[in-house]
Amino acid sequence: MKWLKSFGLFWYDFVIGDDWHVAALVAAGLAVTAIGVHAARVNAWWLLPVIVLAALAWSLHRATRSQRLAAGADQPGLVG
């Protein structure tokens, strides 16, 4: 039973990782793409890469913004 828990924790850490927001956006992108392809019969193969790149850009923006804000707190004259 321990290996099953370890296996589940591995996949949780692999999929969710450090930022659950990105995992949620990718899951939503998969759902929207699947609905577009199957229900609306739209050629939506390009939608998932766009959503993934947008999620990556958003995640990087949030990470670098928090680092810039932390660095600015140490230096009162620095405008962030």
Side-chain angles (χ1 to χ4, degrees):
M1 223 32 188
K2 183 180 178 183
W3 68 270
L4 185 61
K5 181 180 177 183
S6 296
F7 185 74
L9 288 174
F10 164 76
W11 280 107
Y12 176 82
D13 190 43
F14 182 73
V15 173
I16 303 298
D18 293 330
D19 194 0
W20 66 270
H21 296 100
V22 174
L25 285 172
V26 171
L30 282 169
V32 168
T33 303
I35 290 170
V37 169
H38 293 293
R41 306 243 184 235
V42 176
N43 188 7
W45 64 267
W46 54 269
L47 188 58
L48 187 60
V50 170
I51 292 173
V52 167
L53 287 174
L56 175 64
W58 180 58
S59 176
L60 287 173
H61 174 72
R62 288 186 321 133
T64 56
R65 179 174 170 240
S66 65
Q67 287 179 353
R68 280 185 282 145
L69 291 176
D74 295 339
Q75 302 170 358
L78 183 65
V79 176

